[in-house]
Amino acid sequence: AGKEFSDGVEQALALLRRDETAEQRRVVLGVTARASLQQRAECLDAGMDDVLVKPVALRTLGQALEFWLNCSTRRSTDAPRDRQPRSGEVQSDDLPLLDDERLRELCALEAALERPILPGLVRAFRESSVALLATLAEQVRTADSAGVRVSAHTLAGAAVNLGTLRLARTAKWLEASSADAPGATLSAAVSRAREECELSTCELERRYPLADA
């Protein structure tokens, strides 16, 4: 039952988080065999960072672990979930387009690995974000608030990981406002996210072109 599922998630998270401090917070990934959009939204609302659906391929698990380990160093710059705006238009023009500190971290990782990783990350980000934005637009159109919540969460995480600040803020607003904001406002935010995604990826592709480009 839904209530039993939610209660179990909350109890598990309470155990995992009881020894946390502000400086040391655990990343919690849920793994389930039957994750509907509603269940995934419940997991995220309860405080999980992400949800993987079984069977989980080793490559998928590795990508998720790498992603969240990278993101864990960025948590101090993220606004707390309960402080995200719940209605009205998101304002993000006051932010820089890109997080130069995050990009310096990724460049340092490239140097440590002795191979380029940013061009591939940027290409993968463009492909995945275009697909996510198309999904978001359809979910807003059909008033699928649980779907909007999950898709926006995924987009926000990817945006934070690559340092696309404006897109990250808009995606977080969509995540927080999915159940409250009018459909027209959500639709306008998706359009804004598309513009911010295009601006961000174009600038990233300019800075970190593919070798064969």
Side-chain angles (χ1 to χ4, degrees):
K3 186 177 188 305
E4 292 174 355
F5 178 83
S6 298
D7 289 347
V9 168
E10 290 175 4
Q11 290 169 8
L13 284 167
L15 288 172
L16 287 168
R17 300 216 184 278
R18 62 184 177 181
D19 298 325
E20 287 184 340
T21 65
E23 293 76 23
Q24 293 184 323
R25 181 185 180 280
R26 293 184 179 92
V27 173
V28 179
L29 304 183
V31 180
T32 178
R34 53 184 189 90
S36 65
L37 283 175
Q38 184 60 42
Q39 286 176 331
R40 291 187 68 190
E42 288 173 3
C43 289
L44 298 176
D45 284 332
M48 283 191 180
D49 296 284
D50 209 344
V51 183
L52 303 178
V53 182
K54 294 189 287 187
V56 181
L58 186 60
R59 179 182 178 187
T60 300
L61 178 60
Q63 289 173 336
L65 291 173
E66 181 180 8
F67 172 78
W68 286 108
L69 285 171
N70 285 336
C71 280
S72 65
T73 62
R74 310 299 299 162
R75 289 189 183 279
S76 61
T77 65
D78 292 344
R81 186 184 301 273
D82 59 0
R83 291 170 60 188
Q84 293 297 324
R86 301 295 296 181
S87 61
E89 273 195 53
V90 61
Q91 298 295 321
S92 57
D93 285 341
D94 58 316
L95 281 176
L97 185 64
L98 300 174
D99 182 349
D100 288 329
E101 180 184 351
R102 176 57 178 159
L103 292 172
R104 283 193 294 271
E105 291 174 356
L106 291 172
C107 287
L109 180 60
E110 277 190 332
L113 294 173
E114 298 183 343
R115 62 181 176 84
I117 61 171
L118 270 162
L121 288 176
V122 172
R123 179 171 61 182
F125 175 76
R126 177 183 279 281
E127 292 172 353
S128 63
S129 59
V130 166
L132 275 170
L133 286 163
T135 299
L136 271 168
E138 178 62 15
Q139 289 165 336
V140 168
R141 188 187 69 80
T142 58
D144 179 3
S145 60
V148 171
R149 170 86 168 82
V150 171
S151 296
H153 175 84
T154 303
L155 180 61
V160 168
N161 196 39
L162 200 54
T164 55
L165 290 175
R166 293 185 195 171
L167 177 59
R169 181 185 282 185
T170 301
K172 287 178 183 179
W173 181 89
L174 279 162
E175 179 185 354
S177 305
S178 58
D180 298 344
T185 304
L186 292 173
S187 182
V190 172
S191 295
R192 180 171 189 143
R194 276 202 177 102
E195 294 173 2
E196 291 166 342
C197 181
E198 183 63 22
L199 287 171
S200 298
T201 51
C202 283
E203 176 59 19
L204 286 167
E205 287 167 346
R206 184 190 69 80
R207 294 189 191 186
Y208 312 107
L210 288 167
D212 56 355

